[in-house]
């Protein structure tokens, strides 16, 4: 392959790319196979294949300029009652994301001008994008709430391929895809466990992680997290009882490109007691074979009926304390400690676990919040960030949710900053005291010297990476005039993703649970200097 001669700005861009890769703690090999985009882009939910959620090439937004960020444009969604969940990808001056009305959009990242829009109804009626896209090989890859996986042409929005990847009627993609070596990797979860009907024959969904050919959509391999569910009797209603089931892959996978290892977390069981639930899996990215696995909870079987007061017989785990809902909903991080590659992941129990990436040996664990059985809402929800120096993560409804910086060598807390106490008494949230929560739903992101995290109080904040001091706050709970002609209203900063920082801009989805009442739909916000 010919290597172009770099000059001027192109040479500088190449140097920045190398610095970014090295500062991630993983090394330049991550960039050797294929570029996802230009230096400074944010092409995938994880930020990169290794799950850093860190943009080392971002220099314009820094500790000196962050306080001067201001709103550049907003894109408003029609009111649907569905929360916005699709974290954007930003590549080569364009931003890509799904909306709650079943559409997928490409906009100019600087101005918000529409480049193209794609209606999922042309392929999958009633489909909604609830994951974040990945941009690679000239395509945009994403899934939907009905189990379809799409590949659209990045420039035109035309369908390259679209496949129904989910054999179960309740299956969906909350897991965002990651690209590596010609394949797209994505997990499958489901809403089967939240069916409140006692006559429903619970449950038959099996969690799985899949590898697809990026050019054709053909399935290369599938790894199931539980054995085939079998009928084992009946529930008290007389409905057939199937076991085991569940262990969905809610979170997004990461890849170590040097070893071709895929790492991904799994969720709780819906029924039964066996399977790779609440586990971190290390799989051979080429074949799907298990290299190692670590189960971080020994028993966890939970479904929605466990939260009902009259659930006798429908939630056996409640009697013995194992109806926990302590899944690994967060995406893992790869990081280096004294030359040794580690993989860490947060859990809804409030624990961050760190393992040797090659062997799966436990290196350290850190409890960051008091676990909340029967929901796991006090723990680590979506994802963490690694900037080459510290790991950053935030707890959800931990009274209050708190942002942490940990030493990657041993998990020691370097600093911790609670959700500011005035979050629910200032700004738009002050009008809704019964709705507001001091809670961090989003995944954490970072750039050089800065950490980004939003809150259910509707405020997006930037923190100093050295000490956790708040440097910038923006209140989203108000009306915004959208560049698309609609009016949007901010709300809790969205989970299923977090802040995206690319090319001197900050992008935030506002419109998650709890929803603040408004006659308008929610909104994507774009900030710049």
């Amino acid at each position: 392959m010919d290597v172009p001669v770099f000059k001027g700005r192109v040479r500088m861009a190449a140097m920045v790319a190398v610095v970014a890769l090295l500062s991630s703690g993983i090394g330049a090999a991550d960039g050797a196979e294929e570029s996802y985009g230009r230096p400074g882009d944010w092409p995938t939910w994880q930020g990169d294949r290794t799950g850093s959620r860190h943009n080392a090439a971002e220099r314009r937004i820094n500790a000196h300029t962050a306080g001067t960020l201001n709103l550049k444009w907003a894109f408003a969604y029609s009111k649907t009652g569905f929360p916005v969940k699709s974290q954007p990808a930003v590549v080569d001056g364009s931003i890509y994301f799904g909306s709650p009305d079943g559409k997928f959009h490409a906009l100019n990242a600087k101005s918000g001008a529409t480049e193209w829009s794609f209606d999922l109804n042309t392929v999958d009626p009633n489909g909604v994008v609830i994951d974040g896209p990945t941009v690679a090989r000239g395509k945009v890859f994403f899934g939907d709430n009905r189990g379809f996986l799409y590949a659209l042409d990045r420039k035109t929005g035309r369908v390259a391929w679209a496949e129904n990847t989910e054999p179960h009627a309740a299956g969906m993609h909350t897991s965002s895809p990651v690209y590596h070596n010609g394949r797209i990797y994505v997990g499958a979860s489901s809403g089967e466990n939240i069916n409140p009907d006692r006559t429903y024959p619970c449950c038959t969904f099996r969690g799985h992680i899949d590898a697809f050919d990026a050019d054709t959509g053909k399935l290369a391999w599938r790894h199931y997290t539980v054995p085939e569910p079998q009928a084992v009797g009946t529930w008290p209603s007389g409905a057939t009882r199937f076991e085991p089931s569940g262990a969905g892959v809610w979170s997004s996978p990461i890849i170590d490109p040097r070893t071709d290892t895929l790492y991904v977390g799994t969720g709780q069981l819906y029924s039964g007691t066996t399977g790779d639930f609440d586990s971190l899996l290390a799989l051979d990215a080429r074949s799907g074979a298990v290299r190692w696995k670590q189960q971080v909870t020994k028993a966890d079987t939970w479904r929605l009926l466990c939260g009902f007061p009259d659930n006798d017989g429908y939630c056996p785990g409640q009697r013995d304390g194992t109806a926990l809902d302590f899944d690994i909903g967060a995406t893992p991080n790869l990081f280096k400690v004294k030359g040794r590659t580690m993989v860490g992941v947060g859990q809804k129990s409030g624990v961050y676990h760190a393992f040797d990436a090659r062997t799966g040996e436990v290196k350290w664990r850190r409890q960051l919040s008091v676990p909340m059985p029967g929901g796991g809402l006090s723990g680590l929800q979506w994802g963490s960030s690694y900037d080459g120096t510290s790991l950053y993560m935030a707890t959800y409804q931990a009274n209050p949710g708190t942002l942490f910086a940990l030493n990657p060598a041993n998990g020691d807390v370097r600093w911790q900053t609670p959700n500011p106490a005035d979050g629910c008494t200032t700004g738009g949230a002050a009008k809704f005291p019964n709705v507001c929560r001091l809670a961090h739903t989003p995944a954490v992101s970072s750039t050089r010297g800065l950490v980004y995290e939003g809150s259910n109080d509707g405020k997006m904040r930037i923190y100093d990476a050295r000490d956790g001091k708040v440097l910038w706050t923006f209140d989203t709970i108000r009306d915004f005039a959208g560049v698309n002609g609609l009016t949007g209203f901010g709300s809790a900063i969205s989970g299923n993703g977090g802040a995206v920082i690319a090319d001197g801009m900050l992008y935030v989805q506002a419109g998650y649970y709890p929803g603040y009442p408004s006659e308008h739909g929610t909104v994507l916000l774009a900030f710049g200097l």
Side-chain angles (χ1 to χ4, degrees), residues 254-307:
I254 65 169
I255 301 280
D256 186 340
R258 297 171 306 166
T259 63
D260 274 335
T261 305
L262 177 147
Y263 302 91
V264 72
T266 68
Q268 88 285 354
L269 292 170
Y270 301 167
S271 62
T273 58
T274 60
D276 292 333
F277 59 91
D278 294 3
S279 298
L280 183 65
L281 306 178
L283 307 179
D284 186 313
R286 292 163 294 188
S287 67
V290 176
R291 288 183 168 168
W292 57 259
K293 53 188 176 182
Q294 273 282 2
Q295 193 164 62
V296 295
T297 310
K298 296 307 177 185
D300 185 4
T301 305
W302 185 92
R303 58 190 290 210
L304 182 65
L305 290 180
C306 292

Side-chain angles (χ1 to χ4, degrees), residues 44-388:
T44 189
W45 191 98
Q46 303 86 338
D48 52 35
R49 280 173 288 188
T50 62
S52 75
R53 294 193 61 86
H54 175 71
N55 193 339
E58 177 55 54
R59 295 179 179 274
R60 278 175 282 179
I61 303 175
N62 54 52
H64 301 291
T65 64
T68 65
L69 280 170
N70 58 85
L71 184 67
K72 295 298 184 181
W73 54 266
F75 186 92
Y77 303 117
S78 56
K79 189 174 178 64
T80 64
F82 200 91
V84 60
K85 295 187 173 186
S86 181
Q87 177 190 286
V90 180
V91 171
D92 198 22
S94 298
I95 182 169
Y96 305 90
F97 59 96
S99 57
D101 60 357
K103 294 182 174 62
F104 190 89
H105 307 277
L107 312 180
N108 180 287
K110 293 293 186 182
S111 69
T114 296
E115 296 178 347
W116 52 260
S117 289
F118 170 75
D119 189 343
L120 273 64
N121 280 281
T122 61
V123 174
D124 179 23
N126 302 313
V128 177
V129 183
I130 56 175
D131 67 353
T134 279
V135 181
R137 293 177 78 90
K139 300 182 184 70
V140 186
F141 303 92
F142 59 91
D144 74 8
N145 65 327
R146 292 161 56 84
F148 272 78
L149 190 64
Y150 301 81
L152 307 184
D153 183 278
R154 183 169 76 86
K155 295 295 187 181
T156 66
R158 294 191 182 97
V159 177
W161 53 262
E163 297 289 339
N164 186 351
T165 68
E166 180 47 61
H168 196 282
M172 59 185 177
H173 293 300
T174 56
S175 172
S176 297
V178 65
Y179 170 81
H180 173 63
N181 267 351
R183 288 179 175 175
I184 286 293
Y185 300 88
V186 67
S189 55
S190 87
E192 187 185 26
N193 66 316
I194 60 173
N195 190 327
D197 183 0
R198 286 172 168 78
T199 66
Y200 178 77
C202 178
C203 282
T204 54
F205 173 77
R206 305 168 73 192
H208 52 95
I209 178 76
D210 299 336
F212 298 93
D213 185 288
D215 292 330
T216 66
K218 181 180 179 181
L219 181 68
W221 56 256
R222 169 167 292 170
H223 177 82
Y224 282 106
T225 59
V226 295
E228 183 76 38
Q230 303 293 325
V232 294
T234 61
W235 296 102
S237 64
T240 304
R241 177 172 176 166
F242 292 92
E243 294 181 358
S245 64
V249 179
W250 298 96
S251 61
S252 305
I254 65 169
I255 301 280
D256 186 340
R258 297 171 306 166
T259 63
D260 274 335
T261 305
L262 177 147
Y263 302 91
V264 72
T266 68
Q268 88 285 354
L269 292 170
Y270 301 167
S271 62
T273 58
T274 60
D276 292 333
F277 59 91
D278 294 3
S279 298
L280 183 65
L281 306 178
L283 307 179
D284 186 313
R286 292 163 294 188
S287 67
V290 176
R291 288 183 168 168
W292 57 259
K293 53 188 176 182
Q294 273 282 2
Q295 193 164 62
V296 295
T297 310
K298 296 307 177 185
D300 185 4
T301 305
W302 185 92
R303 58 190 290 210
L304 182 65
L305 290 180
C306 292
F308 287 23
D310 51 347
N311 63 25
D312 188 48
Y314 294 94
C315 184
Q318 198 158 61
R319 295 194 190 96
D320 56 22
T322 61
L324 302 172
D325 191 26
F326 280 177
D327 37 300
I328 298 178
T331 289
N333 319 98
L334 282 173
F335 54 95
K336 288 277 193 179
V337 174
K338 296 181 178 179
R340 190 76 171 178
T341 303
M342 309 268 282
V343 59
V345 70
Q347 188 185 358
K348 286 167 66 176
S349 62
V351 177
Y352 189 89
H353 308 266
F355 308 97
D356 184 290
R358 184 177 63 85
T359 66
E361 177 188 0
V362 177
K363 290 301 183 182
W364 54 263
R365 305 183 200 267
R366 182 64 58 193
Q367 183 85 48
L368 299 173
S369 61
V370 177
M372 181 191 296
L377 296 179
S378 62
L380 303 167
Q381 295 292 314
W382 287 108
S384 310
S385 182
Y386 174 63
D387 65 357

